[in-house]
Amino acid sequence: CTSEESPLPTGAVCPDVREPIYNLFANPHVEAGLPTTEWLPEFRNDFDLGFVLPNEAHNQVVARMGNIPYAAVYFSSNAWHNECTANQAWGPAEWAATCIYLADCGLKPVVLGREWDEGFAARVAEEIIIAGRKPQDIWINLISKTKLLLALAFMKNAQIVVGSGSSGLTITAAYMGYNVLTFWPKPG
């Protein structure tokens, strides 16, 4: 048995396989106005999530919120803000100001997320206090209190979804066709 050294494969996804750095973010491609079907044509381009929102989730949101007009809000986590965006995304002070603005406009912010989002939400709550307000008067904090389908039902029934760009709930809400306002990190 003999062996020969063969060249390592390269490409847009991993330019040098000796370093496992995979570039699977289509954002620069899409932001340049190009369709995702041309981004990596060698890969299947099927973004159908394949689920529907159950009526029970919708009914639970209606039972909890009644006729209160609200905005579903997703900040994301400390890790996303600190490591993934190098602190170039909206910080706690900007999110606090956004929640206060929404509340003052008559849209109660309903804050969504998982347990790993609690730390960042606590930082936003501190900023609300610094602004002279009480977080419990500004928002309804449902972080760690909703499963995915219930969170999606909250987003679907909201007047608007306000969220961090490149984060799961925000992207999923946009995919589902909900009214979404996304705050992206600064370029670079």
Side-chain angles (χ1 to χ4, degrees), residues 28-111:
H29 186 83
V30 173
E31 289 167 0
L34 303 170
T36 56
T37 53
E38 295 174 5
W39 174 51
L40 294 172
E42 63 272 24
F43 293 106
R44 189 170 147 233
N45 192 332
D46 179 5
F47 299 107
D48 186 8
L49 298 179
F51 67 85
V52 294
L53 204 54
N55 286 335
E56 293 80 5
H58 169 77
N59 294 340
Q60 188 159 141
V61 170
V62 171
R64 289 181 181 197
M65 297 304 296
N67 293 324
I68 300 171
Y70 70 94
V73 179
Y74 180 62
F75 309 132
S76 196
S77 64
N78 280 321
W80 188 83
H81 285 274
N82 299 344
E83 284 88 36
C84 297
T85 72
N87 290 312
Q88 294 186 47
W90 276 46
E94 290 88 3
W95 278 111
T98 300
C99 288
I100 290 169
Y101 176 81
L102 289 168
D104 289 348
C105 288
L107 289 176
K108 186 74 162 182
V110 173
V111 183

Side-chain angles (χ1 to χ4, degrees), residues 1 29 34 36 59 69 95 108 117 119 129 158 160 166 172 174 186:
C1 180
H29 186 83
L34 303 170
T36 56
N59 294 340
W95 278 111
K108 186 74 162 182
D117 300 315
I129 292 167
I160 189 166
S166 282
T172 305
K186 293 186 286 187

Side-chain angles (χ1 to χ4, degrees), residues 17 24 27 30 55 92 102 105 108 157 163 175 183:
V17 295
L24 293 173
N27 299 18
V30 173
N55 286 335
L102 289 168
C105 288
K108 186 74 162 182
N157 288 286
Y175 170 83
F183 295 119

